[in-house]
Amino acid sequence: MKCYYDCKDILVVDDDEFICKTSKNILKSFKLEADFASDGQECINKIKEKQEKNCNCPKNKYKLVLMDITMPVMDGIEAAKNIQKMIEEKQLYDTIKVIFISAHINLDLTSITKGIKCAIDYYAKPISGVKYRALLDKYYYSK
């Protein structure tokens, strides 16, 4: 199947429009683009939709999901648990990486994310170009 749409392999999930615009601008400065979702359920839906399209372009899967924790409808922890469950049930590829980006600096993410293997790191808000560069170097550009 030939890809006729603009594939992006980064998904930013945050209910704060300012954070989404900031993320878009920072990623653009690195010549990258992302898809956006405003809550965990929309995140899950976008991941499923992208997988169902099954195009042959190099960005046919999300490589990174940069996710807020506190959101309406479905929070980031619950969304990550759903992603992990889909991976375990072989409904989703196992190379997807979830990185939490949240203002909750005092969370014990080690205990919260226990068993969620796809949730691999945490960055505190406010997010900046320097933080984005660090996470991109560590998780996006590396194999």
Side-chain angles (χ1 to χ4, degrees):
M1 174 180 185
K2 191 169 180 182
C3 186
Y4 292 103
Y5 53 93
D6 188 20
C7 289
K8 298 167 184 88
D9 58 357
I10 298 172
L11 177 60
V12 176
V13 187
D14 202 304
D15 60 322
D16 185 323
E17 193 173 320
F18 177 77
I19 298 294
C20 291
K21 284 182 182 180
T22 301
S23 294
K24 181 178 182 174
N25 289 333
I26 292 170
L27 289 168
K28 188 176 181 180
S29 75
F30 298 130
K31 297 185 175 25
L32 295 171
E33 293 183 89
D35 285 330
F36 292 86
S38 60
D39 61 63
Q41 185 60 59
E42 188 178 357
C43 166
I44 299 298
N45 293 344
K46 284 191 177 267
I47 290 169
K48 287 179 179 178
E49 286 169 15
K50 188 167 188 78
Q51 185 162 298
E52 287 170 7
K53 288 179 183 176
N54 195 25
C55 75
N56 292 323
C57 72
K59 296 185 176 188
N60 65 342
K61 300 174 184 171
Y62 289 118
K63 187 172 185 175
L64 287 181
V65 178
L66 309 175
M67 185 151 29
D68 189 18
I69 293 175
T70 306
M71 296 179 289
V73 183
M74 181 188 293
D75 68 32
I77 302 293
E78 192 62 34
K81 287 178 181 176
N82 277 290
I83 292 168
Q84 186 61 46
K85 183 178 179 190
M86 290 173 11
I87 292 168
E88 290 168 359
E89 294 175 353
K90 307 284 189 232
Q91 298 171 4
L92 184 63
Y93 49 94
D94 64 356
T95 56
I96 192 167
K97 299 172 187 149
V98 175
I99 298 169
F100 291 114
I101 299 176
S102 180
H104 297 286
I105 59 173
N106 295 324
L107 286 178
D108 178 12
L109 279 181
T110 304
S111 63
I112 291 172
T113 60
K114 188 175 184 175
I116 308 175
K117 296 174 192 161
C118 65
I120 57 170
D121 210 341
Y122 167 82
Y123 284 76
K125 288 180 183 177
I127 197 67
S128 66
V130 172
K131 288 181 184 176
Y132 258 101
R133 171 50 84 194
L135 78 84
L136 290 170
D137 285 346
K138 190 171 182 181
Y139 300 113
Y140 184 78
Y141 296 117
S142 66
K143 294 290 174 189

